[in-house]
């Protein structure tokens, strides 16, 4: 505080002294000009006095001559008297004029003396001012260093990044069009490059307030310096002794369709609650896709428990959300990626599936099965509130409509072990409660009807004559769906399928209870608790344990397993095709979420690591098929 007061005092003194010196310099200049004028005037008066003195002398001489003439002519005749009087009068006039001139000369001499005295006083004052100036100059010189520091402090600007982009003209081998980036929360720079890239060595163009910028610790020159943006980079703006840091995230188009979702105010602060949003879908980013959607109003909801981004990047005052499950709801039915039009759509993040292939592989097995319906899903890149959010699967919800789980106007879609909000009931033998997913409007009569039917079917299943061809369990349960649903889940060794979570059933009134569609295979195919390729996981749950006591059911299982066993190559081919399709998406998703972090010991290539995981999945599936064949053959 004292230092600040001293600086202010010095500044005040400097400003005051600078003002006084300016006034003094003006006064000195004015006095010097007046002195010069007076000197010139004195010279003129001296010259005039000398001229008048000479004239007086001439007049005096003339007077003397006239007097002499007067004396000489005094005796002249009367005719000269008049002339003599005139001459005498003229002489008097000249004498009077001489006296006036003498007085004027005296006055000018007095004025000259006064001006001379004033000039002497000004010389004295000037000398005093010069001494004061020298004193002030010494003071200024002593405090100049402090003034320079203060001036630098005043002129210092807060560092700030104003704009960041990549131009195709400056990156001709990498970009097909310009990529303008968004500065989010004054801390994150999010960039989306709309073409496939094998590498991310790019030259950025940027504007900022400050002295200079570094990217990744290296000094950056706009439109000149190239940097590797294959991972997040720290951008720092320097201004004097102040700095401002930003995180630059560059995501590139992967060949997948891109879904853009923007919630109002970029808010989505809690799960299981809809937020207003606008949604658009770009199919293949303009490369001929036909399943896109122009910007449309919708509602968006994060389902389940919110996951948070482990890096905790600040985002406009909020912690960034992680890779969550989302549901989209449109006021009017829309078709996405050529799937049948509907109001509700699901986005699956595949958080527990590093290959992102488990669900699609199970869906492929369902497509070649006898199940009535297989959920339709496509891979997309999600851009959520202006930021790349990774690779998702976009597809259909478990709705009882005609284009999905077609159960008629009064049918049911049920889930064993689901956490979905809705009416739920328990049975005597099921490990987890049964939730009613559809219909969503659930009166007491609607709930009671399905509770009674399922309980009755279960009672027959565990009765002594359950295997009766006519009035046994087959009277209530569809055998084909129970067999194929079982085999798909057992082949995948799906942990959730062991009646733990989201085991889906459907029922059309007047018909039979069916298993399916298949759903949620993230924890399968050798991952997340089902690593070994041997061992039953579905066969031992209550209902299926009972079903395997029916020889006819076992024979059906063996028959249908042989079918899947024969189609191994088709299943492996679908895995290879999906893996190749995800080549660039996997790398971008890993950059965003560090999916392969625990598998990396150095700078291994993500695509190579991914291929290793896919190879392990296929090897596991082959071994699993072999083990199951041995088991079923022995039954």
């Amino acid at each position: 505080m004292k230092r600040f007061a001293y600086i202010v005092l010095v500044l005040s003194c400097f400003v005051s002294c600078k003002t006084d010196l300016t006034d003094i310099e003006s006064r000195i200049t004015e006095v010097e000009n007046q002195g010069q004028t007076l000197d010139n005037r004195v010279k003129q008066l001296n010259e005039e006095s000398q001229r008048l003195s000479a004239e007086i002398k001439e007049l005096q001489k003339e007077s003397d001559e006239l007097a002499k003439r007067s004396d000489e002519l005094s005796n002249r005749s009367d005719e000269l008297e008049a002339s003599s009087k005139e001459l005498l009068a003229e002489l008097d006039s000249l004498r009077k004029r001489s006296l006036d001139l003498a007085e004027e000369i005296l006055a000018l001499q007095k004025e000259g003396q006064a001006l001379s005295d004033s000039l002497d006083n000004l010389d004295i004052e000037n000398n005093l001012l010069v001494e004061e100036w020298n004193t002030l100059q010494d003071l200024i010189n002593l405090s100049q260093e402090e003034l320079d520091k203060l001036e630098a402090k005043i002129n210092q600007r807060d560092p700030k990044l104003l704009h960041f982009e990549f131009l195709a003209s400056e990156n001709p081998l990498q970009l097909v069009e310009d990529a303008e980036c968004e500065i989010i929360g004054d801390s994150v720079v999010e960039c989306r490059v709309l073409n496939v890239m094998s590498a991310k060595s790019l030259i950025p163009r940027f504007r900022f307030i400050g002295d200079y910028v570094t990217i990744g610790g290296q000094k950056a020159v706009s439109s000149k310096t190239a940097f590797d943006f294959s991972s997040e980079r720290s951008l720092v703006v320097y201004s004097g002794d102040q700095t401002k840091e930003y995180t630059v995230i560059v995501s590139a188009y992967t060949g997948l369709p891109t879904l853009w979702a923007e919630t109002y105010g970029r808010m989505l602060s809690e799960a299981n609650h809809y937020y207003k949003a606008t949604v658009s879908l770009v199919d293949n980013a303009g490369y001929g896709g036909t399943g896109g959607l122009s910007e449309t109003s919708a509602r968006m909801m994060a389902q389940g428990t919110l996951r948070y981004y482990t890096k905790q990047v600040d985002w406009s005052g909020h912690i960034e959300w992680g890779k969550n499950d989302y549901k989209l709801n449109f006021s009017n039915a829309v078709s996405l990626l050529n799937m049948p039009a509907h109001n509700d759509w699901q986005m699956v993040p595949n958080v527990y599936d590093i290959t992102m292939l488990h669900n699609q592989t199970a869906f492929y097995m369902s497509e070649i099965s006898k199940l009535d319906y297989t959920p339709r899903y496509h891979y997309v890149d999600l851009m959520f509130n202006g930021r790349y959010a990774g690779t998702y699967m976009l597809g259909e919800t478990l709705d009882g409509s005609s284009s999905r789980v077609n159960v008629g106007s009064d049918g049911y879609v049920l889930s064993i072990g689901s956490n979905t909000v809705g009416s739920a009931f328990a049975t005597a033998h099921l490990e987890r409660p049964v939730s009613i997913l559809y219909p969503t409007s659930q009166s007491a009569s609607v709930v009671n009807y399905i509770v009674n039917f399922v309980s009755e079917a279960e009672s027959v299943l565990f009765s002594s004559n359950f295997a009766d061809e006519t009035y046994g369990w087959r009277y209530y349960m569809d055998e084909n769906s129970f067999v194929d649903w079982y085999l798909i889940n057992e082949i995948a060794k799906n942990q959730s399928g062991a009646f733990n979570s989201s085991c889906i059933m459907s029922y059309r009134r007047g018909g039979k209870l069916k298993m399916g569609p298949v759903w949620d295979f993230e924890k399968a195919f050798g991952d997340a608790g089902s690593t070994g390729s041997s061992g039953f996981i579905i066969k031992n749950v209550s209902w299926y344990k009972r079903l395997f006591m029916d020889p006819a059911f076992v024979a059906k299982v063996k028959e249908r397993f042989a079918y899947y066993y024969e189609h191994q190559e088709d299943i492996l081919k679908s895995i290879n095709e999906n893996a190749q399709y995800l080549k660039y998406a996997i790398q971008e998703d890993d950059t965003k979420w560090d999916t392969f972090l625990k598998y990396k010991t150095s700078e291994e290539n993500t695509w190579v690591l991914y291929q290793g995981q896919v190879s392990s999945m296929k090897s596991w599936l082959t071994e699993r098929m072999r083990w199951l064949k041995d088991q079923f053959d022995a039954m």
Side-chain angles (χ1 to χ4, degrees), residues 27-43 112 115-116 118-120 122-123:
R27 290 175 57 191
I28 291 173
T29 302
E30 182 179 355
V31 170
E32 287 176 348
N33 291 337
Q34 291 179 358
Q36 185 65 39
T37 302
L38 290 173
D39 287 342
N40 293 337
R41 180 61 176 165
V42 170
K43 288 179 181 180
L115 289 173
S116 179
S118 177
L119 183 59
D120 291 340
L122 287 174
D123 286 338

Side-chain angles (χ1 to χ4, degrees), residues 166 171 173-177 179 191-203 227-230 250-255 583-585 587-588:
F166 298 102
N171 299 273
L173 300 179
Q174 293 285 71
L175 304 182
V176 297
E177 61 180 281
C191 307
R192 176 72 166 167
V193 178
L194 295 178
N195 60 272
V196 174
M197 301 178 66
S198 58
K200 291 182 185 175
S201 179
L202 297 168
I203 298 173
F227 296 91
D228 180 8
F229 290 98
S230 58
V250 180
S251 59
Y253 173 64
T254 63
K583 178 177 180 178
Y584 296 104
Q587 297 174 69
E588 290 299 320

Side-chain angles (χ1 to χ4, degrees), residues 358-614:
H358 296 174
N359 279 308
Q360 290 291 51
T361 302
F363 291 157
Y364 174 78
M365 295 170 68
S366 174
E367 288 172 2
I368 64 174
S369 74
K370 292 184 178 181
L371 294 175
D372 291 340
Y373 164 73
T374 299
R376 288 169 281 253
Y377 273 81
H378 294 277
Y379 293 108
V380 298
D381 285 333
L382 173 62
M383 293 294 295
F384 178 51
N385 285 339
R387 304 198 63 181
Y388 170 71
T391 300
Y392 280 71
M393 286 170 52
L394 171 66
E396 299 172 328
T397 59
L398 294 171
D399 183 85
S401 63
S402 59
S403 63
R404 295 184 177 176
V405 190
N406 188 5
V407 294
S409 59
D410 56 357
Y412 296 84
V413 179
L414 309 172
S415 175
I416 303 172
S418 175
N419 294 322
T420 304
V421 176
S423 297
F425 60 92
T427 70
H429 296 278
L430 284 175
E431 288 81 355
R432 300 285 302 279
V434 178
S435 296
I436 303 175
L437 305 184
Y438 180 88
T440 55
S441 178
Q442 299 164 8
S443 64
S445 61
V446 168
V447 174
N448 291 336
Y449 180 91
I450 194 62
V451 169
N452 292 334
F453 181 86
V454 172
S455 297
E456 184 176 351
E458 184 185 63
S459 177
V460 171
L461 176 63
F462 285 90
S463 67
S464 59
N465 64 337
F466 80 102
D468 184 86
E469 290 288 339
T470 305
Y471 299 106
W473 67 270
R474 290 178 180 82
Y475 183 80
Y476 297 91
M477 300 177 177
D478 178 73
E479 183 175 25
N480 286 333
S481 68
F482 268 79
V483 170
D484 278 36
W485 183 92
Y486 162 75
L487 284 171
I488 294 170
N489 280 272
E490 192 72 89
I491 290 170
K493 203 176 182 182
N494 183 16
Q495 189 174 8
S496 297
F499 285 12
N500 288 321
S501 173
S502 300
C503 297
I504 310 302
M505 300 184 294
S506 64
Y507 174 71
R508 179 190 285 265
R509 293 201 187 200
K512 297 181 180 183
L513 184 67
K514 295 182 178 182
M515 289 301 298
V518 296
W519 192 258
D520 189 6
F521 281 74
E522 288 190 43
K523 298 178 181 180
F525 293 101
D527 286 344
S530 60
T531 53
S533 60
S534 62
F536 288 107
I537 192 169
I538 313 297
K539 179 177 175 291
N540 297 322
V541 299
S542 57
W543 281 10
Y544 277 101
K545 186 175 182 179
R546 182 63 170 170
L547 287 170
F548 268 90
M549 295 179 183
D550 182 351
F553 179 80
V554 173
K556 190 71 172 179
V557 168
K558 294 174 67 172
E559 174 194 335
R560 292 299 295 160
F561 176 77
Y563 168 80
Y564 287 106
Y565 191 82
E566 292 171 359
H567 286 79
Q568 277 189 83
E569 291 303 318
D570 295 332
I571 298 171
L572 294 175
K573 181 181 177 182
S574 73
I575 292 174
N576 289 333
E577 290 175 349
N578 282 325
Q580 188 63 35
Y581 182 53
L582 292 174
K583 178 177 180 178
Y584 296 104
I586 286 294
Q587 297 174 69
E588 290 299 320
D589 191 84
D590 178 54
T591 298
K592 176 67 176 179
W593 301 114
D594 286 331
T595 310
F596 287 85
L597 182 62
K598 68 178 181 179
Y599 299 95
K600 294 180 180 179
T601 56
S602 57
E603 292 295 325
E604 286 100 339
N605 183 282
T606 299
W607 173 238
V608 173
L609 291 172
Y610 177 71
Q611 287 178 305
Q613 292 294 319
V614 174

